[in-house]
Amino acid sequence: MEHVHPFVVHFPLALLITASFMGLVGIFYRRGLFKEIVLWQCVVSLFFLFLAIISGYSDEERIIRSLPVDELMAVHKKNSYIITVLFLILTSWLVLRKRAMKTVEYASWVVFLTIGGVSVIYQGVLGSKLVYREGVGVKPVELAKSKAAEKLKQEANINY
């Protein structure tokens, strides 16, 4: 199936952003319940993060390259690795320490969770720039870019 990435990425985006919000709420209200909710959000979103990375690499092979696309794509990739590693660490931390976690430790964990949530929002911004500003994954735009690139190649061959 072509262009799976746009369908998959919304799951970790939504789950991790709401996990950050739930973690903050958990500081003030029924911490045990919110730890459980956030834990399951993180576990499920890790699965979708891996799918998003794999599908991103698959879809990357089909896009028309340009300098702005390559620059945005490089940052998008690095941020995806940072997000995945951060949430792997945070999820592991929560699994190992969930029952013994006191208020101060939980609050510091939530700080890192919030940093991760902000990174996820930034990742969404990068993805939207790739789609809406550069037309990555949008067939009419990619067809137009492909035709323009082919025309430039032909003109370059004629001029030599």
Side-chain angles (χ1 to χ4, degrees):
M1 189 163 139
E2 202 172 289
H3 298 295
V4 174
H5 189 69
F7 298 110
V8 174
V9 297
H10 295 93
F11 291 103
L13 283 171
L15 286 168
L16 294 175
I17 291 168
T18 56
S20 300
F21 176 73
M22 293 290 184
L24 288 169
V25 171
I27 290 175
F28 305 105
Y29 181 75
R30 297 182 66 184
R31 185 172 52 231
L33 172 67
F34 283 94
K35 275 194 235 177
E36 196 67 33
I37 292 169
V38 170
L39 174 64
W40 283 106
Q41 287 177 309
C42 287
V43 168
V44 172
S45 56
L46 280 171
F47 170 75
F48 284 107
L49 275 172
F50 286 113
L51 283 179
I53 289 172
I54 292 166
S55 65
Y57 275 111
S58 173
D59 285 356
E60 180 185 18
E61 295 172 2
R62 296 181 185 95
I63 64 172
I64 307 296
R65 310 301 289 218
S66 69
L67 185 60
V69 168
D70 288 342
E71 289 173 350
L72 280 170
M73 194 73 74
V75 177
H76 192 62
K77 281 183 190 178
K78 284 180 192 172
N79 199 40
S80 71
Y81 298 137
I82 291 168
I83 288 168
T84 304
V85 168
L86 178 61
F87 278 98
L88 268 171
I89 292 168
L90 288 171
T91 304
S92 301
W93 183 0
L94 187 58
V95 165
L96 295 173
R97 298 279 307 153
K98 183 171 75 166
R99 298 204 193 290
M101 200 179 273
K102 301 293 181 207
T103 305
V104 174
E105 183 182 2
Y106 180 73
S108 58
W109 182 84
V110 168
V111 167
F112 288 110
L113 183 70
T114 305
I115 291 168
V118 170
S119 297
V120 169
I121 292 169
Y122 178 62
Q123 186 74 340
V125 169
L126 290 172
S128 66
K129 283 182 181 179
L130 283 165
V131 172
Y132 295 110
R133 191 171 74 191
E134 300 301 328
V136 171
V138 181
K139 282 193 178 191
V141 175
E142 289 190 343
L143 286 173
K145 282 185 175 183
S146 156
K147 289 178 183 176
E150 192 62 38
K151 186 176 179 181
L152 284 173
K153 284 181 187 176
Q154 288 175 352
E155 289 174 0
N157 289 336
I158 293 171
N159 292 334
Y160 288 115

